[in-house]
Every structure is written in C-alpha cells, then in structure tokens.
Amino acid sequence: MAEDDIFSQYFVDAETRAGLTSDQAIEAHEKFGYNELPSVEVSKFWLLMCQFMGTMPYMLEVALVISLATQDWADFGIIAAMLLANGFLGFREELECLHSLEELTKKMEAKCTVQRDGVGCSLNVRELVPGDVIMLLGGLAIPADVKWIEGDQLSIDTAALTGEGVPRKYPSKEYGNSILCGATVQSGEAYALVDKTGMNTEIGAMNAEIQKDKAGGKQLSVFEKRVMQAVQIIIVGALIISLIIFLLQGIKENEFTAKMYKKDLLTCLSIIVASIPIALPIVLNVTMSLGAAKMAREFAAVVTSIPALQDIASMSVLCSDKTGTLTTAKMTINHEMVWCNENFTKKDVGMYAMLASSRDKKEDAVDRTVVKYFDKIFGVSGLQLVSEYTKTGGMGFNPVYKRVVVDQTHPKIGTIRIAKGLANKVLDTAAGGVDDADEQWKCEGHQELSKVIAAKDKELSSAGYKTLGVAVKINDKPWVFCGILPMMDPPRHDSEGTVANLVNAGVRVKMITGDHLNIGIETARQIKMGTNMYAGETVRNGTMQSKQLVDDANGFAQVLPSDKREVVQILN
C-alpha cells in the first residue's frame, strides 16, 4: 500500500482515495508540468552548420582558403564541391537518423480514468499530475510512475523496461507497490497514485539524458576521433617541415627577398595542402551511409546516429540484454528436469497441465509454454487425446489464489479436476495463508511431500527455472500432487558462438537483464559467459567500489532502465 506521507505530499485523501480537486490539479500542473517525455528540438539550420564544423571540415576549409589565396581556381572548385557534397550528405543522413529516433519515441496520447473532484473522468495521460488517483485496467500502458493503492493484485508486463518475459505481480514482497511508466497491465483492476510524471519518471529521466546527447549537434565517433588524431599529427608534422624549409631557404640561400619570399611561401603552402587528406571526409560519410542503408535493407536495423556505426567497430565492451537478444524470448519446459510424484510419468504431468490450459490464450506465457510442451511430447496423437475430455467449468488464474482450476469430464474416467500454479499452493491451498477461493484442499500425503517439493522448487529456482506445480482430483478421490514443470527461456542457437567470437576479437561481453539473478546466471552458464553477476541495485550508490565492480562483473540482473545507462556510462 502507499504510505500516508506520500498521500499528504500530493494532497490525496488517504481514506476516500478521492484524488485531487481541480484547483489542486492546476497547482500541481504549474509545479510539475505536463506528463510527457522531454523532447529537445535541434534546429535544422544548426544541424546543417554542424556539418561544416570539426577537424575534418576545417581541413577542407583551410585547403579552400589556401587555394583561393594562391588563385588555384581548379583546386578551389574541386575542394568547394567536395566540402558542399560532404556537408549536405552528412546533413541528409542526420535528418534520417532523427526521423528514425522520432518514430521510436512513443508519444503519450492515450487516455485513462482519473479521479478529479471525487468523480471519475477520462483524461489524456498528458494531463496527469503527481497526486492523481487513476484506475489501472488490463491492457493499459502505465502512463506514469505510480504506487498501488487498493484493488486486485496486478499482473504487470515489464518486458519493455526490464526484458523479463514473465509478468510481475504488484503489490508483492519481491517487487513492492511501485510500478514504473512504460509497463503494461495484463490483468487485474486497481487504483493507483500517480507518483512521478514526465521527465521525473524512471523512463523519462533516461530519455532526457539521451535527448541531451542528441542535442549536442554533430557527434564524433571513437573511430573518427582516432582518425583525426592521426591527421592532426600529419598536419603538425607538415607545418614543422614547412617552417624548417622556409627558414633554411631564407637564411642559407639568402632568399628573404620580395620575389623569393613569395616563392618559398607557396612551396610551404603546397606541402601543407598535400598533407591534408581532402577526400577523407566524403569517403567516410559515403562509406557509413552505404553501411547504414545495407543494415536497414538486409537486417531491418534502425540507425539513429552515423557515428554509432563507427563506434561499433571500435568497441571493447558489449553490454547485451538477455530476453530476445541472447535468448529466444520463448519459454520452454525442460523435459529432462520435470519432477514427477510416484505413480505419475512426465507425460501424465504434461497432459494434466495441458487440460488446465487453453490454446486460445496465446498471449499467456505459461499456457503458451504448456501447449508447446504437450505438442512436443505427444505429437499428433495429443490432439485426439485431449478431444476426449470436455471442459465443464473451473476457476481462472487469480494472483491472490496463485492457481488455475479446471473441471473436465471423460466418458471412461469420469469427473476430473486439475489445478496448476504455484507448487506449494497446488499442494496445499492454505500454504502461505488461507485464501477465500470456493474450494480448499490438501493433497494426499502433503506433509511428507511439502519438504520434498520445497527442496525441489528451490533447486530448480536456483538453477534459473520458473516452476509450475500440477495436481489432480479424479471423481471423489482425494487431490494428488502430480509433479513440477520447470520453465526457462532458452538461449538462441547462435548466442554461444557469437559470444565466443566477440571474446576472441577482444570484446568483453556483459549481460544486463531485468530478469531474476538466478535466471541470468543460468543463462550465462549455458552460453559459456562468465557467471560473476550482481543485482542491479549494486551500481546505484556511485562509489569507487561500485565502479570497480561494474568493470569486473560479467553482468547485472533485476536492473532498472537507469541502471543500464549507468553501467554504460561507467564503462565509457
């Protein structure tokens, strides 16, 4: 629940949850502004001017001035054409990158139900202010950082923020009652207090930092900086050589006359011009533009900055997400590690789990995984087997009960009740506290099984698996615990090879995931990465010890979006 001091800070009546009055909302709006992500506008004129700034453009401009001073009109025309072509080509690519970034930036234009003046009304999320009380419903994208007040325990999809494929429960001991902007409500209804809006949200603060980077105009990549260092050394060397030649000719040959002075000066200028790689800027821009086009065409990659392509080539550390990057983002059940109670086989556990699932719930990570596992172990014959059962009722998943109950009938077997869910709640519905579901039970031999199942559940969880318990009740017989299905998001087939190639190329690879620490460690072990991983909170204190830890660690789990940026900034 939200604490009383939070309610008093934002003018909320903790007793009635009535929300703000119109006057309070106006006052809060003046203080906090609109609930929208920051957007730094970059002048297109300034963006164009930036293309003619920097070491490489300056080299062309110096060469242009020298050719003008010496009245070398042919070279003047060629250099001017190259300078303009380079500038406008870079300008065009920067505009394309900005356009790509704008498409990726999500605008807050949805509506939600808000309590204003004690009455529920529909408002654009842009109008939300801290202190508003909003209604969270299934399918709603969380419009701000909020705190759960009252209602159902919510199932929240945090994949967009953390990369974790399985929804989290709020409120809970593990995740608390604070829900971040950018997550999505999968199920449940509850009231929530708007805590932070706009750029003050977790995702807003991160977006603001990115936009500041973009607002700086033209960026130089690590590769370009190194090229410029080499070019600067060459130019300085040419200047020194020119000065030596000029002085030697003047002193030794006594050529400091008006006529010879001009001749020696032109000789020195020709050396300086010859040392300037005039074609280098346009060659780099054309090459990077062709590379960006190829990546977009063949790999569907969105390039938000041309220098980023050059930085990739010079990187020494790669920080990678886990879900969908190193893994398939598709949960699977490890058949070899399925635990079965006596008198049950792995096929029995898989079949009963399937009878408590639905093929129509394609967006449900658990049901989708169970269906896939059932099809794998039974093949085509599984469809015929399931068709013999008729569903007659049941209880859908409830985050409070932590289980699903389905009633089935079979012409030969009779009535069958199947339960799947949290292993200890399927074994004994009173485990962890009695709930108010219509049916309560304790499986046969639950006292002896409870220690065995708790140990097995801990073993699988420590190995990075999420577990699913299954129990069954046939006719009037007692409930019987069938077994435990271990679920995990498996690594991609090419992840191990890719990591090995990167390491062989001298690139250190670190995994940064929002998933549980045990799952991150197990995934790292499977793809032969280092398993020296820590929870994301260890990087938030900003001490020298934490900075050293970031450098030494193989990765971080249970991270927030800001943690990812913090790790990258420390490693820079």
Side-chain angles (χ1 to χ4, degrees):
M1 290 187 179
E3 299 175 357
D4 289 341
D5 61 341
I6 296 175
F7 287 105
S8 61
Q9 178 184 357
Y10 292 134
F11 330 109
V12 178
D13 186 338
E15 297 296 327
T16 64
R17 319 295 194 212
L20 303 177
T21 65
S22 297
D23 292 338
Q24 289 171 337
I26 293 173
E27 179 185 345
H29 178 264
E30 291 175 352
K31 182 178 180 180
F32 298 104
Y34 285 110
N35 178 35
E36 57 187 3
L37 295 181
S39 178
V40 179
E41 295 294 332
V42 180
S43 167
K44 291 183 179 179
F45 175 76
W46 173 249
L47 195 61
L48 176 61
M49 289 299 99
C50 285
Q51 307 309 310
F52 300 97
M53 300 178 187
T55 306
M56 297 182 78
Y58 289 159
M59 289 189 304
L60 290 175
E61 289 158 9
V62 168
L64 189 69
V65 172
I66 292 174
S67 61
L68 180 63
T70 57
Q71 298 183 353
D72 187 348
W73 303 116
D75 285 345
F76 176 81
I78 293 172
I79 296 172
M82 295 183 70
L83 181 64
L84 292 173
N86 181 65
F88 283 106
L89 178 62
F91 178 63
R92 177 182 176 278
E93 291 303 319
E94 289 292 342
L95 286 181
E96 290 292 330
C97 292
L98 285 177
H99 178 67
S100 298
L101 190 63
E102 287 173 1
E103 290 183 348
L104 292 176
T105 304
K106 296 181 179 179
K107 301 297 183 181
M108 295 183 178
E109 296 178 350
K111 292 187 176 183
C112 66
T113 301
V114 185
Q115 294 291 112
R116 287 279 176 89
D117 298 312
V119 179
C121 59
S122 180
L123 287 181
N124 288 328
V125 298
R126 184 172 181 265
E127 304 294 331
L128 292 180
V129 294
D132 271 327
V133 173
I134 64 174
M135 186 71 178
L136 301 181
L137 305 168
L140 177 71
I142 307 296
D145 287 357
V146 302
K147 291 183 179 292
W148 183 92
I149 299 176
E150 63 179 16
D152 300 334
Q153 185 182 41
L154 302 173
S155 177
I156 303 294
D157 180 3
T158 62
L161 300 174
T162 65
E164 185 175 355
V166 176
R168 293 179 174 182
K169 305 301 178 186
Y170 291 90
S172 64
K173 291 182 180 179
E174 185 175 4
Y175 301 116
N177 69 331
S178 296
I179 311 172
L180 297 182
C181 174
T184 304
V185 181
Q186 282 205 334
S187 63
E189 297 183 6
Y191 288 98
L193 169 69
V194 175
D195 186 22
K196 297 177 182 178
T197 58
M199 64 183 299
N200 295 318
T201 63
E202 185 71 31
I203 195 171
M206 181 181 67
N207 184 274
E209 292 298 321
I210 294 174
Q211 292 291 353
K212 285 180 183 177
D213 294 341
K214 293 292 178 183
K218 189 176 181 180
Q219 298 171 291
L220 289 179
S221 66
V222 174
F223 171 73
E224 193 171 359
K225 287 176 183 177
R226 290 176 180 172
V227 170
M228 288 303 97
Q229 289 174 356
V231 171
Q232 287 168 358
I233 292 172
I234 293 172
I235 293 175
V236 170
L239 288 172
I240 294 173
I241 292 171
S242 299
L243 181 61
I244 293 173
I245 292 174
F246 183 74
L247 292 176
L248 283 176
Q249 287 293 104
I251 296 172
K252 183 179 179 181
E253 303 297 336
N254 193 24
E255 292 184 352
F256 281 138
T257 63
K259 182 177 180 181
M260 301 307 295
Y261 175 82
K262 183 176 181 182
K263 175 186 174 184
D264 292 341
L265 182 60
L266 289 176
T267 301
C268 294
L269 289 177
S270 65
I271 294 174
I272 296 173
V273 172
S275 69
I276 300 174
I278 296 173
L280 184 58
I282 196 167
V283 168
L284 280 179
N285 255 331
V286 170
T287 303
M288 291 300 105
S289 299
L290 291 174
K294 183 175 182 179
M295 291 181 69
R297 183 174 60 253
E298 298 184 11
F299 302 100
V302 178
V303 179
T304 61
S305 174
I306 292 296
L309 292 178
Q310 300 167 354
D311 284 336
I312 290 174
S314 59
M315 70 178 174
S316 58
V317 181
L318 173 65
C319 296
S320 173
D321 191 18
K322 178 184 73 70
T323 306
T325 304
L326 296 173
T327 65
T328 61
K330 298 177 181 177
M331 296 276 287
T332 60
I333 294 173
N334 188 329
H335 182 69
E336 300 300 322
M337 299 188 72
V338 173
W339 181 84
C340 302
N341 195 5
E342 58 184 17
N343 301 324
F344 289 93
T345 66
K346 293 179 180 179
K347 280 196 169 185
D348 291 334
V349 179
M351 182 190 70
Y352 287 128
M354 177 65 206
L355 291 174
S357 304
S358 171
R359 289 185 181 274
D360 295 332
K361 295 169 70 175
K362 300 185 184 298
E363 299 303 317
D364 187 292
V366 174
D367 276 27
R368 187 173 63 240
T369 303
V370 169
V371 169
K372 183 179 179 180
Y373 175 67
F374 176 81
D375 291 343
K376 180 179 179 181
I377 61 176
F378 281 94
V380 180
S381 62
L383 296 175
Q384 177 61 35
L385 183 64
V386 171
S387 67
E388 296 175 2
Y389 293 83
T390 303
K391 183 177 178 179
T392 58
M395 177 187 74
F397 181 79
N398 185 298
V400 176
Y401 306 154
K402 294 180 172 56
R403 60 187 180 273
V404 171
V405 179
V406 174
D407 295 324
Q408 301 273 7
T409 60
H410 190 276
K412 295 181 180 179
I413 301 174
T415 302
I416 303 172
R417 299 204 81 187
I418 308 111
K420 70 170 186 184
L422 198 65
N424 62 343
K425 293 294 284 186
V426 168
L427 176 69
D428 178 3
T429 57
V434 179
D435 53 57
D436 60 355
D438 292 338
E439 183 178 9
Q440 304 289 320
W441 69 80
K442 299 180 187 294
C443 287
E444 193 173 43
H446 72 279
Q447 291 182 335
E448 297 79 11
L449 281 174
S450 59
K451 294 182 179 179
V452 177
I453 290 173
K456 191 65 182 179
D457 190 58
K458 183 178 180 180
E459 175 191 338
L460 291 170
S461 297
S462 298
Y465 289 92
K466 299 179 187 295
T467 56
L468 185 69
V470 181
V472 64
K473 173 182 172 67
I474 300 177
N475 296 320
D476 295 328
K477 296 179 181 179
W479 280 91
V480 181
F481 192 85
C482 304
I484 298 175
L485 297 172
M487 302 183 296
M488 180 179 278
D489 181 10
R492 291 169 55 97
H493 69 281
D494 56 351
S495 290
E496 182 180 337
T498 300
V499 170
N501 290 336
L502 287 166
V503 172
N504 291 335
V507 178
R508 292 186 294 158
V509 183
K510 297 179 185 287
M511 180 193 301
I512 306 181
T513 176
D515 219 333
H516 195 277
L517 181 60
N518 288 335
I519 296 175
I521 291 174
E522 177 60 19
T523 302
R525 184 191 66 79
Q526 292 182 20
I527 61 177
K528 293 183 171 52
M529 278 182 62
T531 56
N532 182 31
M533 299 183 69
Y534 300 91
E537 60 187 16
T538 57
V539 305
R540 294 172 200 161
N541 52 28
T543 64
M544 289 303 297
Q545 184 179 1
S546 69
K547 292 181 179 180
Q548 184 61 45
L549 182 143
V550 168
D551 190 61
D552 296 339
N554 298 124
F556 296 90
Q558 297 164 232
V559 299
L560 297 173
S562 58
D563 297 332
K564 296 182 180 182
R565 180 177 175 83
E566 182 67 20
V567 169
V568 173
Q569 293 285 58
I570 290 174
L571 291 171
N572 248 343

